[in-house]
Amino acid sequence: MTRHFLRPALTALLLSAPALAVTAPYAAAQAVITGNQKMVATVESVDHETRTILLRDKKGGLLNVTIPKGAKDLPHLEAGDRISMQFFQTMAADIARPDSPLPESTVSSAKGYAKRHPHGMLISFQRQRVRILAVDAAAHKVTFIDHADVTRTATINQKALLPLLSSLKMGDEVDVTTMDAVSFSVLNRTVNGDVSVTEDQGNQANPSGK
């Protein structure tokens, strides 16, 4: 299983978002919680080139975590570290207004200490604009092209999402925002003496280009 903090969001939003609000003339899906998980895991390996960390949970399952390039100031991790983690995700979407600028993605990161254990936090907002190519309301399907020029088709089965489907038409542009947050503490290391917290904020390079 692979967890990417920055990933195409519209398909996941259409398939899994539990709540929806529609306001004329621009429909919008309000920010909803789509993920909330806690776990304790062991670091199996760290690949600095691909910025991926391979974790093994208590049951032996493997999880790849990809760290965004904009995250610069996080506690150092190495193979054998035992960490506690919490993942949290929300998603939101709205029809873009004509001539509005492309949305920008951002990443913020910080490191400090929690009960003298090295502690880190990462919050990323992936914002992208997708274009609706076709809507089949009878079949509950919508086809769109994402920011990477990849065409996708999603089937909407949840009744709560049907108002969003009915509000879309060919040519509409939709701004989708995915917020991923993760916090973690390194359980096998502690510090003595004075401790401090540092923070880094920055924009991702060309995150929402089409």
Side-chain angles (χ1 to χ4, degrees):
M1 179 168 59
T2 300
R3 181 181 296 273
H4 292 279
F5 289 114
L6 302 180
R7 58 189 177 184
L10 185 61
T11 300
L13 173 66
L14 293 175
L15 295 178
S16 64
L20 179 72
V22 178
T23 57
Y26 297 100
Q30 295 180 339
V32 293
I33 298 173
T34 54
N36 190 2
Q37 179 183 2
K38 293 181 179 180
M39 63 181 296
V40 175
T42 300
V43 177
E44 292 288 315
S45 63
V46 179
D47 189 327
H48 296 286
E49 183 175 348
T50 62
R51 303 181 65 85
T52 58
I53 301 172
L54 179 63
L55 302 175
R56 185 179 298 276
D57 63 22
K58 288 183 175 180
K59 296 182 179 180
L62 295 175
L63 170 69
N64 261 322
V65 176
T66 301
I67 305 299
K69 291 183 179 180
K72 300 178 181 179
D73 204 1
L74 292 169
H76 174 74
L77 290 177
E78 57 188 32
D81 280 342
R82 185 168 174 266
I83 60 177
S84 63
M85 306 185 70
Q86 180 170 5
F87 298 100
F88 185 77
Q89 183 185 77
T90 65
M91 292 185 182
D94 60 272
I95 296 179
R97 296 180 180 275
D99 301 320
S100 61
L102 288 174
E104 295 185 357
S105 297
T106 58
V107 175
S108 298
S109 54
K111 67 179 179 180
Y113 298 91
K115 297 182 179 179
R116 298 206 168 287
H117 293 285
H119 182 77
M121 176 170 286
L122 169 66
I123 302 177
S124 68
F125 287 87
Q126 180 192 354
R127 300 179 176 95
Q128 62 167 304
R129 182 166 295 174
V130 302
R131 187 171 75 254
I132 304 300
L133 299 180
V135 179
D136 187 342
H140 297 177
K141 293 180 180 293
V142 59
T143 301
F144 57 93
I145 186 168
D146 67 15
H147 71 293
D149 290 330
V150 176
T151 299
R152 306 176 185 273
T153 298
T155 301
I156 301 175
N157 295 316
Q158 296 88 345
K159 291 182 178 180
L161 297 177
L162 297 182
L164 176 60
L165 175 66
S166 64
S167 71
L168 297 176
K169 63 182 182 300
M170 184 177 64
D172 278 345
E173 292 189 325
V174 179
D175 289 340
V176 182
T177 300
T178 303
M179 187 282 290
D180 282 296
V182 60
S183 62
F184 65 93
S185 294
V186 185
L187 301 178
N188 57 293
R189 294 205 298 269
T190 57
V191 296
N192 297 315
D194 295 335
V195 297
S196 61
V197 176
T198 59
E199 181 177 358
D200 179 81
Q201 294 183 346
N203 292 335
Q204 292 190 355
N206 194 25
S208 55
K210 293 184 178 180

